[in-house]
Amino acid sequence: MKPRDCEVLVIGGGPTGLALACALRLHDVHVRVIDAASRPAVTSRANILHARGVEVLDRLGALGDLPERAQPALTITLYLDGKPAVTIHFGDLGLGQARPALYISQAEIEAALRARLGELGSEVEWETELSKITEGDEQVTATLADGQTIACSWVVGCDGAHSTVRQLTDIGFPGVPVSERFLLADVHADWPVSRSGGHGWPHEDGPFFAMPMPDPTGRDDLWRIMAYDPESRGEMSDQDILDRSRQLARERTGRTDIEIKDTVWASTFRTHRRLANTYRRDRVFIAGDAAHIHSPLGGQGMVTGIGDAENLGWKLALVIQGTANGKLLDTYEAERRPVATDVLRSTTGATRLQVGKGPVMRFLRNWVLVPLANLPSVQKRAGRMASQLWVSYRKGPLARRTGIRFGARPRPGDRVPDLPCHRSDGSHTRLHRELGGHWALLGKAGEMQDYLAEARDRLGDRVMVLEGGTASEVWLVRPDAHLAWRGPKGPKQLGRWLGGALQLGEARI
């Protein structure tokens, strides 16, 4: 058997693959990232990083100066008959998030993740194409297009909607088309609307959206536009795209004071809804667009993939380090596939409502959706859904193993807010700042040494003590900021949970 070249081979240098590689490196796991492309992408469809994605990058240490360079995604204003009808706010949702969503190119996010991965001692290997996967009992051999091989313990396909990994492992990817073509473009434009948020114009021929984008050149007139455009067909020249953008802006918004000066980048695409039958085939996993694709309305694709990566990363690390039983890896699909199912359902419904024609759809959009969107409770729910801060694993296998029922939130499996805490030396910090490759015990200072000893006996030294949470309980928070365990009954109960839920101390693979 060939010696292992790495523990985990990640296929795909996009946001999901980069986030996974960073998460693994934070646990000192030897990882390699390969990509068939010749170089990083300089343009991208995705242009918004929702609050959960911002949190994940923060925990990975990859957020850097993105918030300073991005446009804050605080609002989206919808117009009817040319007038503002409703403004939906995406600010503080009362869920303890540290930062709002950001309007910024996926290319910029990938660059920040690559920089962080470099700090952690790894990099993307470009022009390296996978052609074959051969699985053994204890390792996987990946054969490259040039005939070279890479031996590893695990392979993770983060290689997009047309995933080679998914195809090589015969994982089904059923789904259906959701709508006809959309036009997507980055344009320089004089646009007399606020750049503090996005704008949308529902229209009988389909919606038109405009979102402010930061421009690396320092200009303040870059906009991302997206319009339903079933009439676009085949290849379009740059001039065709520019003319079509101007036409759609004029027709859909009803405004004559918009001047689109040039098009920086453009694409047309159809929307599909697809979900993989399984996220795992023995020692091979898939994540991100390789596992699920859906309508881009709502900007849920990138944040869902990054969430997949963080969830899988700490679990792979525990198994690779011999701390957890390999069955722990089954909880990746059990926790993340239901999230994708919910996202597919919501984005499909929103897209069909936006592009649907006929009097019934127009009535629903103009006289039901808009009035409802003005209600504070509806706005809060809309912001919460877009943020993905709602994601909970309380119905998953790890939460069910606690054996304890709680009425108060957070319950085991829930996201724990970014709580203010104190370190052991008394200095102030926030919970999420201390995670990312670490577990956290929250409780009353001076009363957690036995809990710490129990946790470190099972998890190693990647457990820290923070003063926070509730005075009457101790919480164990996972590296992905979800509550693992809480209880007032003593450290032995925590040890039993670690032994049961993570199957620590049992036979390992």
Side-chain angles (χ1 to χ4, degrees):
M1 182 183 297
K2 178 183 177 182
R4 290 185 179 90
D5 299 293
C6 61
E7 290 293 347
V8 181
L9 177 62
V10 176
I11 315 297
T16 301
L18 291 167
L20 175 60
C22 288
L24 290 167
R25 289 300 303 137
L26 285 172
H27 289 272
D28 296 323
V29 173
H30 185 195
V31 60
R32 288 178 66 177
V33 184
I34 66 172
D35 196 297
S38 61
R39 58 185 175 85
V42 294
T43 59
S44 59
R45 292 181 182 177
N47 73 315
I48 186 170
L49 185 64
H50 282 292
R52 185 181 183 90
V54 177
E55 287 190 350
V56 175
L57 262 64
D58 204 9
R59 287 192 286 271
L60 296 178
L63 193 58
D65 64 348
L66 289 180
E68 287 70 41
R69 293 192 286 118
Q71 290 283 141
L74 297 178
T75 64
I76 182 166
T77 300
L78 301 179
Y79 298 78
L80 289 178
D81 298 325
K83 299 178 181 179
V86 59
T87 297
I88 300 174
H89 296 267
F90 297 101
D92 188 353
L93 308 174
L95 295 173
Q97 81 271 30
R99 302 176 186 269
L102 304 173
Y103 281 128
I104 192 162
S105 166
Q106 177 179 323
E108 296 291 323
I109 293 167
E110 291 177 3
L113 283 164
R114 284 196 303 274
R116 178 57 173 155
L117 185 59
E119 293 172 353
L120 295 169
S122 190
E123 61 183 17
V124 180
E125 301 171 40
W126 301 104
E127 296 185 288
T128 308
E129 183 178 358
L130 176 72
S131 64
K132 183 180 179 181
I133 294 175
T134 305
E135 288 196 64
D137 292 336
E138 298 181 5
Q139 70 178 36
V140 184
T141 301
T143 303
L144 307 180
D146 63 3
Q148 296 186 60
T149 60
I150 299 174
C152 56
S153 299
W154 308 91
V155 169
V156 186
C158 305
D159 47 346
H162 303 289
S163 170
T164 299
V165 173
R166 189 186 63 240
Q167 295 169 23
L168 290 174
T169 51
D170 293 323
I171 294 176
F173 200 42
V176 295
V178 175
S179 73
E180 294 295 331
R181 289 186 180 273
F182 275 81
L183 172 68
L184 195 67
D186 288 348
V187 301
H188 287 122
D190 290 335
W191 207 308
V193 292
S194 171
R195 287 180 61 84
S196 65
H199 305 267
W201 289 264
H203 191 273
E204 62 181 7
D205 293 329
F208 185 95
F209 296 96
M211 290 75 73
M213 293 289 291
D215 191 333
T217 67
R219 296 174 61 171
D220 62 353
D221 62 349
L222 184 63
W223 294 84
R224 166 68 57 87
I225 63 172
M226 181 169 65
Y228 182 60
D229 188 24
E231 296 181 14
S232 63
R233 291 289 185 272
E235 294 294 326
M236 299 175 69
S237 68
D238 291 345
Q239 187 61 47
D240 289 339
I241 291 170
L242 180 59
D243 292 343
R244 187 61 175 161
S245 299
R246 289 169 172 167
Q247 178 185 354
L248 291 172
R250 182 176 62 253
E251 292 177 351
R252 302 287 173 85
T253 69
R255 304 187 68 137
T256 59
D257 55 355
I258 299 170
E259 181 188 357
I260 296 180
K261 293 174 283 192
D262 60 74
T263 301
V264 177
W265 168 83
S267 175
T268 61
F269 62 93
R270 296 182 67 188
T271 60
H272 291 77
R273 179 189 69 192
R274 295 187 181 277
L275 180 62
N277 289 335
T278 181
Y279 283 19
R280 179 185 185 183
R281 189 76 81 209
D282 300 320
R283 288 182 171 270
V284 179
F285 296 85
I286 55 174
D289 286 354
H292 44 75
I293 57 171
H294 46 81
S295 167
L297 289 185
Q300 297 294 293
M302 184 163 50
V303 67
T304 307
I306 289 173
D308 291 346
E310 188 182 34
N311 184 284
L312 180 59
W314 67 264
K315 295 173 180 178
L316 273 172
L318 282 181
V319 173
I320 288 167
Q321 292 162 355
T323 303
N325 185 285
K327 293 180 180 178
L328 173 65
L329 298 175
D330 291 334
T331 69
Y332 162 60
E333 179 176 333
E335 291 187 335
R336 293 302 299 175
R337 196 169 183 273
V339 174
T341 299
D342 287 342
V343 170
L344 264 66
R345 184 183 300 116
S346 63
T347 56
T348 299
T351 301
R352 287 176 173 164
L353 180 60
Q354 289 282 359
V355 305
K357 294 188 175 183
V360 173
M361 283 298 184
R362 285 199 299 271
F363 175 82
L364 287 174
R365 281 195 299 265
N366 297 351
W367 302 106
V368 177
L369 176 63
V370 170
L372 282 175
N374 275 309
L375 297 175
S377 60
V378 174
Q379 290 210 8
K380 184 175 181 179
R381 176 173 173 78
R384 181 173 179 269
M385 292 301 294
S387 72
Q388 286 207 22
L389 300 180
W390 56 268
V391 170
S392 173
Y393 308 132
R394 67 169 62 171
K395 295 181 180 180
L398 296 181
R400 287 200 297 267
R401 284 183 173 271
T402 59
I404 306 171
R405 295 183 180 275
F406 295 94
R409 296 181 179 179
R411 301 175 190 175
D414 288 352
R415 166 190 170 270
V416 179
D418 193 17
L419 301 172
C421 303
H422 290 86
R423 301 185 183 94
S424 57
D425 62 4
S427 59
H428 294 274
T429 187
R430 301 194 67 85
L431 172 62
H432 291 192
R433 185 180 302 161
E434 303 299 322
L435 300 175
H438 290 85
W439 298 68
L441 279 167
L442 272 67
K444 190 174 181 180
E447 297 182 2
M448 290 191 287
Q449 291 308 307
D450 289 341
Y451 289 94
L452 179 62
E454 191 73 37
R456 285 187 170 174
D457 181 59
R458 306 277 186 159
L459 295 168
D461 60 2
R462 293 185 177 274
V463 186
M464 68 181 67
V465 169
L466 297 171
E467 183 168 4
T470 64
S472 60
E473 291 183 336
V474 172
W475 295 0
L476 178 65
V477 183
R478 301 172 6 173
D480 58 2
H482 284 262
L483 183 64
W485 177 90
R486 61 183 280 191
K489 297 183 179 179
K492 293 301 181 184
Q493 186 189 54
L494 170 60
R496 285 193 293 272
W497 179 81
L498 288 168
L502 304 185
Q503 301 193 30
L504 308 184
E506 299 182 11
R508 300 164 183 148
I509 60 172

